[in-house]
Amino acid sequence: MGRAPANGKRSPPPPPPPPPPPGRCHFWLPNKRRHCANSSLPSSQYCGNHLPESASGAGRRVTCPVDPSHTVLEENLEAHVGKCPLKKRVAALAAQPYYSKGINSGGAEAGRGITSAEKRAAVYRLTEDEFRGLLGKIRSVHAAAAAAMRESYLITDACNKWMGGQVDRKVPYQEKHVAQQASIVGNMEAFGLLRKGGAEAVDGKNLAVSAQAVVEFGAGRGYLTQVLVDCYGIRNVFLVERRSYKLKADRSLRQNEDVTLERLRIDIEDLSLHGIEALRGLNYLAIGKHLCGPATDMTMTCCLAEQDDQTEEKIHGKHSLHGLALATCCHHLCQWKHYANKSFLTGLGITEEEFHAMTWFSSWAVDGDHTSPDSYVEVEDTSSEVREPEKPDPEINGIERIIRSIPTVERASLGFMCKDVIDTGRLLWLRHKGLVADLVSYVPSNISPENRLLIAKCTS
């Protein structure tokens, strides 16, 4: 039986998928909200990958062990594994000088990754007294150790043409995303990471406070970097993203003859900046907009480990970090093994199991019913909406009953407390590394409830 949402009303069933285009496979991909892009077989409505077993007449299909996104006939599995396209791509990546398996993962000794389902199960195994004690501990730790986060919604004159929509019309323009991008770079300028006045202020005095390159982590389509190029004249661009995207900023950036662009299709966990030949000898800015869960920790480790590892070989022609601006999000995906400042948490008496419970609670900040999937979806901010606690259901017992009895606003508040503690540890880690750092709210919550920005600059 499905669970009713927090307001007591059941959501209407999702609409049926539209019919596929003529000649296309009828298999519906729910995560992509579209049909399979392959052509259907002449004798079927489906392509070879999605042909039902009953219709294939050729045996059972199994998931490819190299790339779980597709299936293959079990009888052909051994031959397919040797020629799977992903295997070739992985082999090509492993040959790159900037690839180092797990270099930013936090180390194997730090433990394995924990799924959201496992986090939830661990919470539900607590006794009622243990659960209430954990909530009290979170409130106490937050009051004692969480950094005060100030609002800093800054739009500079340099971003006027983006805020006014006066950009290349081939570039997708969405006001809420542009407002976030503009405020991130506005905070970077105010913090001294970008020259005042943007690209129009290039002169001998101002160049000293600007970086020569930008590395965007979790770059997606790369439009945060596009703002820096258009408004601040950044000329050396490196986009780090493990996924493939359409409608990227790359096309527009490559048309700019003054810009050198390199897109690196790699997981941040495996990236060694020292291996990027074109970055050597340059001071750079590290940026990221909505770095999901552990991606923030791995980005900080990636950049600051390079700063620490100053061997004679690396000092020769080395690059250097000028500063960073990382918009965090999806704290429910954070992992103990990746988290940068475990000593901060253990010093507060927070165990690995309690940390994972906190990450699970953190989604209450943006999803009061806690039913969102692991992948982040921006939702309408409801933190100011006052709702009454749900009426007790006699069929629900234990932890679920306690959770449902907590008013939505209070659950959201607890979720934000967990986010505050997690990001405070990151902030203090940056300061421990010798950076001047701050944690700010860079856009109002009605633009995005994921509105935290870690910003820092090197002093040497």
Side-chain angles (χ1 to χ4, degrees), residues 228-247:
L228 286 174
V229 169
D230 289 351
C231 301
Y232 288 88
I234 295 290
R235 292 293 173 253
N236 297 286
V237 171
F238 302 86
L239 303 177
V240 179
E241 174 56 60
R242 65 182 180 182
R243 294 174 54 193
S244 177
Y245 280 88
K246 297 179 180 179
L247 301 175

Side-chain angles (χ1 to χ4, degrees), residues 182-219:
S183 186
I184 289 173
V185 299
N187 275 280
M188 291 170 69
E189 180 181 304
F191 210 69
L193 299 182
L194 295 168
R195 56 180 170 265
K196 302 285 184 180
E200 303 300 325
V202 177
D203 59 54
K205 294 181 180 179
N206 287 327
L207 282 175
V209 296
S210 181
Q212 299 164 298
V214 60
V215 182
E216 183 174 357
F217 292 84

Side-chain angles (χ1 to χ4, degrees), residues 316-339:
H316 178 68
K318 70 179 180 65
H319 56 265
S320 59
L321 177 67
H322 182 59
L324 54 80
L326 308 177
T328 67
C329 85
C330 299
H331 295 73
H332 64 285
L333 298 179
C334 289
Q335 299 287 334
W336 179 262
K337 67 173 290 186
H338 298 305
Y339 188 64

Side-chain angles (χ1 to χ4, degrees), residues 1 35 68 120 218 228 250 260 289 292 340 365-366 376 394 420 428 435 439 447 460:
M1 181 180 294
H35 290 91
R120 181 184 187 277
L228 286 174
D250 301 38
T260 300
K289 175 176 176 283
C292 290
V366 294
Y376 172 69
D420 287 343
L428 296 178
L435 281 71
L439 176 65
I447 293 179
S460 59

Side-chain angles (χ1 to χ4, degrees), residues 161-180:
K161 64 180 180 179
W162 267 84
M163 290 301 293
Q166 301 167 8
V167 293
D168 183 352
R169 298 318 299 172
K170 295 179 182 177
V171 175
Y173 179 92
Q174 287 187 304
E175 186 174 351
K176 69 174 182 177
H177 293 302
V178 173
Q180 294 172 62

Side-chain angles (χ1 to χ4, degrees), residues 26 44 101 128 164-165 191 225 256 353 385 404:
H26 281 55
S44 173
K101 180 67 175 176
E128 294 188 21
F191 210 69
T225 290
N256 188 331
E353 292 74 18
E385 182 179 348
R404 292 197 180 196

Side-chain angles (χ1 to χ4, degrees), residues 14 19 21 49 55 63 81 87 139 201 204 221 230 235 271 293-294 306 308 355 360 364 394 405 432-433 437 458:
N49 284 338
T63 301
V81 165
K87 185 174 183 179
R139 293 186 179 98
R221 295 177 174 86
D230 289 351
R235 292 293 173 253
L271 176 63
E306 293 285 337
D308 292 342
F355 170 77
W360 192 76
W364 290 345
S405 71
H432 177 72
K433 289 288 186 177
C458 295

